[in-house]
Amino acid sequence: MSKVEMLYREALNRAIDEAMSSDSNVVILGEDVGLYGGSYRVSEGLVAKYGEDRVIDTPIAELSIVGNAVGMAIGGLRPIAEIMTANFALLAFDQIINHMAKYRYMSAGKITLPVVVRFPQGVSRQLAAQHSESYEQMLSAVPGVRVLAVSSVNYAYHALKRAIFSDDPIIFIEHELLYNKKGIVDFDEEIDIFKANIVKEGSDITIVSYLKMVDDVIKAVPEIEQKLNKSCEVIDLQTLNPIDFETIKKSVEKTGRVVIVEEDHYTGGYGSQIASFLAEKLFYTLDAPILRIAGEDTPIPYNRKLELASIPTPESIANRVTQWGESNGL
Amino acid sequence: MDKREVEEIYYLMSLGRKFEYAAKEHYMSGEISGFLHLDIGQEAVSVGAMRAFEHGDVFTTYREHILAIAKGIEPKAVMAELFGKRSGVSQGRGGSMHLFEPALHFYGGDAIVGGHLPNAVGCAYARKFQKAQDGVMALFGDGATNGGAFFESLNIASAWKLPLLFLCENNRYAIGTEITRVAPFLEQSKKAEPYMPTIEVDGNDVIAVYEAVKEARSYIQKGHGPIFVEAFTYRWEGHSMSDAARYRSPEEVDIWKSKDPLKRVRKLLTQQYEMSEDEVDELDKKAQAVVDNAVEFATESEEPGVDELFDNIFVERVENVQG
Ligand SMILES: Cc1ncc(C[n+]2csc(CCOP(=O)(O)OP(=O)(O)O)c2C)c(N)n1
Ligand SMILES: [Mg+2]
């Protein structure tokens, strides 16, 4: 009974449910989180169980959703703010960056903000330019907020529960195509949410990724391994701020070669932070140039063919890693 | 009102409804994807407003196919856009939510709720600056009136006396949230009252919408500043194709279906304008033929090529920097 198979969205729901039942200060607020059950059904059933005072349907007012959550936390609650889609969170960036990230620092640590902002993002299916973006690169550059990126079902459950009871503000990034992903939650596991996870061990190439791209990398690996006759180690970063450099370092010391895969745009993408760390600290450990595979520098098109051409796919990952391997003596 | 205008209005509403049902059908069969927001039940607002505001600039949201068509964009260019084809009005890059045609003063398709309102204010500033005649219209839902962009826009448009017509399509719901659960009253024009005159209108009565918008248009054109029109209506379908609309009762939907805006104009045509049922049926047939033709055109059109991925990001075409 300690290991249960469930969907990503069910794992999130379970984490919130358990947190709400163990602490009456935990509240959730956002657009359509109550009666509707959440756009991605994450808060399904919670309003019936905990009432409208704790599962709060807000107007379409993202600045207030995050701003109110900050005020609720100042007032002693533990709010979980749900943003419907990352693009709408841009309206709340003032609250996230000027307020949520800075009250603790500006008050010499006297104010504590236990806020979680749930943040569904990424390229889904033909939702076009205003509903498909990713903002981890901006958010992870803000001192004062922690940023988690949730790929596995197990991490979804554990990390959300920990995040809710953390006393620091946390941006909890989910990917819109993962809500119906199946996985196993190990309830007995004690995890450190600020640690990366080695999804697959290997000895020749380290592939670093996060969110949905971890699954795409896993799909690409058999072809890469077969064509290059080498083995890949796949790391799911899980935590983007802080970054678990230790896990990356250990892996690269073993393999000497690194590929970084992200869905977001290439220029200024989060992967450039990882690349910079490798170049600065592990230059002499590297046996090949770093390969970054990222989304193209374009708004996301509606047309399906173009949409897929604008982001990495299992096929393009396999092709690019294989080519890179071949031209670097693998 | 002139009979020919009422006929045209009926035709456009019929065309709009048939277009939406065709879009729904082709969404279900997979040729259309993404978010598809249908305007069925609200045709009187879309058509009445556009007919009464032919030459002005129009800024609107993602629920926009009928607005685009009534503003003069070819139905086949709209359908092709929904199909993601190069012959679509946004060349397949925008889809249902992002239709734009500056040549027709249609700056449609913004899908950030309330986000287009400051843009409409800015355009109204430009039109005033240019001493232009026609003014600007911004359409938005009841849900948009709860955000900061809305209140900022009311304030600026009124402080600067800009020629801007705010048109709120109050269909009572923002996805699953009934407006009265997140605002203190049903009538959102109350929020505008301190800033500008307001007009409330039955949004299922196309003639009433038409007259209200005409009156509002002449008010902004005279340089009095902005005005607010609120049309009360209802969407028959879910918020988008991914919404099963479980938050409202079938009885509530039925009450609104009995106020069918299209039937009302038909009645007007047959009773007041002495058209026969057959003559009105002919208008429906003509509309259906246009929709069928639009679907055929969309089906046969080509998709954009992957080599066009970097088109139209900047004035000068850029290349892939990733390699
Ligand atoms: C800033 C922002 N927040 C949330 C959304 C998600 N969303 C899309 S439409 C919608 C409801 C809008 O309701 P309303 O303004 O009444 O327009 P209607 O859909 O009824 O025409 C919501 C919440 C969004 N697109 N933009
Ligand atoms: Mg509405």
PDB file of all heavy atoms in Angstrom, chain B residues 16-35:
ATOM      1  N   GLY B  16     -23.176  33.111 -39.541  1.00  0.00           N
ATOM      2  CA  GLY B  16     -22.357  32.952 -38.336  1.00  0.00           C
ATOM      3  C   GLY B  16     -22.680  31.662 -37.614  1.00  0.00           C
ATOM      4  O   GLY B  16     -21.788  30.888 -37.257  1.00  0.00           O
ATOM      5  N   ARG B  17     -23.950  31.400 -37.430  1.00  0.00           N
ATOM      6  CA  ARG B  17     -24.317  30.183 -36.695  1.00  0.00           C
ATOM      7  C   ARG B  17     -23.909  28.934 -37.458  1.00  0.00           C
ATOM      8  O   ARG B  17     -23.358  27.998 -36.897  1.00  0.00           O
ATOM      9  CB  ARG B  17     -25.819  30.162 -36.405  1.00  0.00           C
ATOM     10  CG  ARG B  17     -26.203  28.914 -35.623  1.00  0.00           C
ATOM     11  CD  ARG B  17     -27.580  28.979 -35.056  1.00  0.00           C
ATOM     12  NE  ARG B  17     -27.728  30.045 -34.075  1.00  0.00           N
ATOM     13  CZ  ARG B  17     -28.855  30.285 -33.402  1.00  0.00           C
ATOM     14  NH1 ARG B  17     -29.919  29.530 -33.611  1.00  0.00           N
ATOM     15  NH2 ARG B  17     -28.928  31.261 -32.534  1.00  0.00           N
ATOM     16  N   LYS B  18     -24.148  28.938 -38.754  1.00  0.00           N
ATOM     17  CA  LYS B  18     -23.774  27.764 -39.551  1.00  0.00           C
ATOM     18  C   LYS B  18     -22.258  27.587 -39.557  1.00  0.00           C
ATOM     19  O   LYS B  18     -21.744  26.470 -39.528  1.00  0.00           O
ATOM     20  CB  LYS B  18     -24.324  27.889 -40.974  1.00  0.00           C
ATOM     21  CG  LYS B  18     -25.857  27.767 -41.014  1.00  0.00           C
ATOM     22  CD  LYS B  18     -26.384  27.893 -42.422  1.00  0.00           C
ATOM     23  CE  LYS B  18     -27.888  28.125 -42.474  1.00  0.00           C
ATOM     24  NZ  LYS B  18     -28.683  27.266 -41.601  1.00  0.00           N
ATOM     25  N   PHE B  19     -21.571  28.712 -39.593  1.00  0.00           N
ATOM     26  CA  PHE B  19     -20.104  28.653 -39.548  1.00  0.00           C
ATOM     27  C   PHE B  19     -19.653  27.979 -38.249  1.00  0.00           C
ATOM     28  O   PHE B  19     -18.785  27.102 -38.253  1.00  0.00           O
ATOM     29  CB  PHE B  19     -19.521  30.070 -39.641  1.00  0.00           C
ATOM     30  CG  PHE B  19     -18.019  30.093 -39.716  1.00  0.00           C
ATOM     31  CD1 PHE B  19     -17.376  30.177 -40.940  1.00  0.00           C
ATOM     32  CD2 PHE B  19     -17.242  30.017 -38.560  1.00  0.00           C
ATOM     33  CE1 PHE B  19     -15.988  30.184 -41.023  1.00  0.00           C
ATOM     34  CE2 PHE B  19     -15.858  30.010 -38.632  1.00  0.00           C
ATOM     35  CZ  PHE B  19     -15.231  30.101 -39.872  1.00  0.00           C
ATOM     36  N   GLU B  20     -20.256  28.396 -37.133  1.00  0.00           N
ATOM     37  CA  GLU B  20     -19.858  27.848 -35.834  1.00  0.00           C
ATOM     38  C   GLU B  20     -20.162  26.353 -35.742  1.00  0.00           C
ATOM     39  O   GLU B  20     -19.363  25.584 -35.221  1.00  0.00           O
ATOM     40  CB  GLU B  20     -20.566  28.595 -34.705  1.00  0.00           C
ATOM     41  CG  GLU B  20     -20.162  30.069 -34.565  1.00  0.00           C
ATOM     42  CD  GLU B  20     -18.712  30.306 -34.172  1.00  0.00           C
ATOM     43  OE1 GLU B  20     -17.823  29.943 -34.963  1.00  0.00           O
ATOM     44  OE2 GLU B  20     -18.472  30.881 -33.086  1.00  0.00           O
ATOM     45  N   TYR B  21     -21.327  25.940 -36.255  1.00  0.00           N
ATOM     46  CA  TYR B  21     -21.640  24.506 -36.207  1.00  0.00           C
ATOM     47  C   TYR B  21     -20.684  23.704 -37.093  1.00  0.00           C
ATOM     48  O   TYR B  21     -20.280  22.599 -36.747  1.00  0.00           O
ATOM     49  CB  TYR B  21     -23.104  24.244 -36.566  1.00  0.00           C
ATOM     50  CG  TYR B  21     -24.026  24.449 -35.369  1.00  0.00           C
ATOM     51  CD1 TYR B  21     -25.060  25.381 -35.393  1.00  0.00           C
ATOM     52  CD2 TYR B  21     -23.840  23.712 -34.194  1.00  0.00           C
ATOM     53  CE1 TYR B  21     -25.885  25.584 -34.284  1.00  0.00           C
ATOM     54  CE2 TYR B  21     -24.652  23.899 -33.082  1.00  0.00           C
ATOM     55  CZ  TYR B  21     -25.675  24.831 -33.123  1.00  0.00           C
ATOM     56  OH  TYR B  21     -26.472  25.019 -32.033  1.00  0.00           O
ATOM     57  N   ALA B  22     -20.301  24.308 -38.222  1.00  0.00           N
ATOM     58  CA  ALA B  22     -19.333  23.625 -39.090  1.00  0.00           C
ATOM     59  C   ALA B  22     -17.982  23.518 -38.382  1.00  0.00           C
ATOM     60  O   ALA B  22     -17.314  22.475 -38.427  1.00  0.00           O
ATOM     61  CB  ALA B  22     -19.191  24.359 -40.419  1.00  0.00           C
ATOM     62  N   ALA B  23     -17.586  24.592 -37.699  1.00  0.00           N
ATOM     63  CA  ALA B  23     -16.319  24.573 -36.969  1.00  0.00           C
ATOM     64  C   ALA B  23     -16.358  23.488 -35.892  1.00  0.00           C
ATOM     65  O   ALA B  23     -15.399  22.724 -35.713  1.00  0.00           O
ATOM     66  CB  ALA B  23     -16.046  25.944 -36.342  1.00  0.00           C
ATOM     67  N   LYS B  24     -17.479  23.395 -35.212  1.00  0.00           N
ATOM     68  CA  LYS B  24     -17.627  22.379 -34.161  1.00  0.00           C
ATOM     69  C   LYS B  24     -17.452  20.979 -34.759  1.00  0.00           C
ATOM     70  O   LYS B  24     -16.703  20.149 -34.240  1.00  0.00           O
ATOM     71  CB  LYS B  24     -19.012  22.525 -33.527  1.00  0.00           C
ATOM     72  CG  LYS B  24     -19.269  21.562 -32.392  1.00  0.00           C
ATOM     73  CD  LYS B  24     -20.648  21.790 -31.797  1.00  0.00           C
ATOM     74  CE  LYS B  24     -20.911  20.755 -30.697  1.00  0.00           C
ATOM     75  NZ  LYS B  24     -22.225  20.930 -30.075  1.00  0.00           N
ATOM     76  N   GLU B  25     -18.140  20.753 -35.890  1.00  0.00           N
ATOM     77  CA  GLU B  25     -18.073  19.445 -36.539  1.00  0.00           C
ATOM     78  C   GLU B  25     -16.623  19.095 -36.925  1.00  0.00           C
ATOM     79  O   GLU B  25     -16.154  17.991 -36.689  1.00  0.00           O
ATOM     80  CB  GLU B  25     -18.962  19.501 -37.788  1.00  0.00           C
ATOM     81  CG  GLU B  25     -19.065  18.206 -38.552  1.00  0.00           C
ATOM     82  CD  GLU B  25     -19.778  18.423 -39.896  1.00  0.00           C
ATOM     83  OE1 GLU B  25     -20.677  19.305 -39.975  1.00  0.00           O
ATOM     84  OE2 GLU B  25     -19.407  17.729 -40.857  1.00  0.00           O
ATOM     85  N   HIS B  26     -15.915  20.092 -37.466  1.00  0.00           N
ATOM     86  CA  HIS B  26     -14.565  19.795 -37.927  1.00  0.00           C
ATOM     87  C   HIS B  26     -13.550  19.798 -36.790  1.00  0.00           C
ATOM     88  O   HIS B  26     -12.439  19.292 -36.952  1.00  0.00           O
ATOM     89  CB  HIS B  26     -14.174  20.727 -39.076  1.00  0.00           C
ATOM     90  CG  HIS B  26     -14.962  20.415 -40.311  1.00  0.00           C
ATOM     91  ND1 HIS B  26     -14.611  19.396 -41.166  1.00  0.00           N
ATOM     92  CD2 HIS B  26     -16.140  20.913 -40.770  1.00  0.00           C
ATOM     93  CE1 HIS B  26     -15.526  19.300 -42.124  1.00  0.00           C
ATOM     94  NE2 HIS B  26     -16.464  20.212 -41.903  1.00  0.00           N
ATOM     95  N   TYR B  27     -13.941  20.322 -35.655  1.00  0.00           N
ATOM     96  CA  TYR B  27     -13.117  20.151 -34.456  1.00  0.00           C
ATOM     97  C   TYR B  27     -13.237  18.699 -33.994  1.00  0.00           C
ATOM     98  O   TYR B  27     -12.249  18.040 -33.690  1.00  0.00           O
ATOM     99  CB  TYR B  27     -13.587  21.097 -33.345  1.00  0.00           C
ATOM    100  CG  TYR B  27     -12.713  21.055 -32.114  1.00  0.00           C
ATOM    101  CD1 TYR B  27     -11.672  21.967 -31.945  1.00  0.00           C
ATOM    102  CD2 TYR B  27     -12.918  20.100 -31.116  1.00  0.00           C
ATOM    103  CE1 TYR B  27     -10.864  21.927 -30.827  1.00  0.00           C
ATOM    104  CE2 TYR B  27     -12.119  20.056 -29.991  1.00  0.00           C
ATOM    105  CZ  TYR B  27     -11.090  20.973 -29.847  1.00  0.00           C
ATOM    106  OH  TYR B  27     -10.291  20.928 -28.736  1.00  0.00           O
ATOM    107  N   MET B  28     -14.486  18.211 -33.987  1.00  0.00           N
ATOM    108  CA  MET B  28     -14.702  16.845 -33.507  1.00  0.00           C
ATOM    109  C   MET B  28     -14.042  15.829 -34.429  1.00  0.00           C
ATOM    110  O   MET B  28     -13.611  14.780 -33.977  1.00  0.00           O
ATOM    111  CB  MET B  28     -16.193  16.561 -33.399  1.00  0.00           C
ATOM    112  CG  MET B  28     -16.918  17.669 -32.654  1.00  0.00           C
ATOM    113  SD  MET B  28     -17.726  17.161 -31.151  1.00  0.00           S
ATOM    114  CE  MET B  28     -19.355  16.960 -31.767  1.00  0.00           C
ATOM    115  N   SER B  29     -13.951  16.157 -35.726  1.00  0.00           N
ATOM    116  CA  SER B  29     -13.318  15.186 -36.620  1.00  0.00           C
ATOM    117  C   SER B  29     -11.812  15.433 -36.735  1.00  0.00           C
ATOM    118  O   SER B  29     -11.126  14.751 -37.490  1.00  0.00           O
ATOM    119  CB  SER B  29     -13.986  15.216 -37.997  1.00  0.00           C
ATOM    120  OG  SER B  29     -13.926  16.506 -38.544  1.00  0.00           O
ATOM    121  N   GLY B  30     -11.299  16.422 -35.992  1.00  0.00           N
ATOM    122  CA  GLY B  30      -9.845  16.546 -35.858  1.00  0.00           C
ATOM    123  C   GLY B  30      -9.140  17.496 -36.814  1.00  0.00           C
ATOM    124  O   GLY B  30      -7.943  17.697 -36.697  1.00  0.00           O
ATOM    125  N   GLU B  31      -9.864  18.118 -37.738  1.00  0.00           N
ATOM    126  CA  GLU B  31      -9.175  19.053 -38.644  1.00  0.00           C
ATOM    127  C   GLU B  31      -8.884  20.387 -37.966  1.00  0.00           C
ATOM    128  O   GLU B  31      -8.013  21.134 -38.398  1.00  0.00           O
ATOM    129  CB  GLU B  31     -10.008  19.338 -39.901  1.00  0.00           C
ATOM    130  CG  GLU B  31     -10.119  18.142 -40.822  1.00  0.00           C
ATOM    131  CD  GLU B  31     -11.554  17.674 -40.908  1.00  0.00           C
ATOM    132  OE1 GLU B  31     -12.183  17.488 -39.834  1.00  0.00           O
ATOM    133  OE2 GLU B  31     -12.046  17.496 -42.028  1.00  0.00           O
ATOM    134  N   ILE B  32      -9.664  20.689 -36.927  1.00  0.00           N
ATOM    135  CA  ILE B  32      -9.427  21.908 -36.154  1.00  0.00           C
ATOM    136  C   ILE B  32      -8.997  21.463 -34.764  1.00  0.00           C
ATOM    137  O   ILE B  32      -9.514  20.485 -34.230  1.00  0.00           O
ATOM    138  CB  ILE B  32     -10.718  22.756 -36.074  1.00  0.00           C
ATOM    139  CG1 ILE B  32     -11.168  23.176 -37.484  1.00  0.00           C
ATOM    140  CG2 ILE B  32     -10.516  23.979 -35.184  1.00  0.00           C
ATOM    141  CD1 ILE B  32     -12.515  23.889 -37.518  1.00  0.00           C
ATOM    142  N   SER B  33      -8.022  22.190 -34.196  1.00  0.00           N
ATOM    143  CA  SER B  33      -7.544  21.773 -32.873  1.00  0.00           C
ATOM    144  C   SER B  33      -7.351  22.993 -31.993  1.00  0.00           C
ATOM    145  O   SER B  33      -7.806  24.086 -32.315  1.00  0.00           O
ATOM    146  CB  SER B  33      -6.252  20.977 -33.053  1.00  0.00           C
ATOM    147  OG  SER B  33      -5.800  20.489 -31.822  1.00  0.00           O
ATOM    148  N   GLY B  34      -6.674  22.816 -30.880  1.00  0.00           N
ATOM    149  CA  GLY B  34      -6.432  23.935 -29.966  1.00  0.00           C
ATOM    150  C   GLY B  34      -7.700  24.306 -29.232  1.00  0.00           C
ATOM    151  O   GLY B  34      -8.565  23.471 -28.991  1.00  0.00           O
ATOM    152  N   PHE B  35      -7.791  25.583 -28.849  1.00  0.00           N
ATOM    153  CA  PHE B  35      -9.008  26.053 -28.190  1.00  0.00           C
ATOM    154  C   PHE B  35      -9.967  26.614 -29.232  1.00  0.00           C
ATOM    155  O   PHE B  35      -9.586  27.437 -30.056  1.00  0.00           O
ATOM    156  CB  PHE B  35      -8.686  27.165 -27.185  1.00  0.00           C
ATOM    157  CG  PHE B  35      -8.093  26.656 -25.903  1.00  0.00           C
ATOM    158  CD1 PHE B  35      -7.076  27.364 -25.268  1.00  0.00           C
ATOM    159  CD2 PHE B  35      -8.563  25.493 -25.299  1.00  0.00           C
ATOM    160  CE1 PHE B  35      -6.536  26.910 -24.063  1.00  0.00           C
ATOM    161  CE2 PHE B  35      -8.034  25.031 -24.104  1.00  0.00           C
ATOM    162  CZ  PHE B  35      -7.009  25.747 -23.487  1.00  0.00           C
TER     163      PHE B  35
END
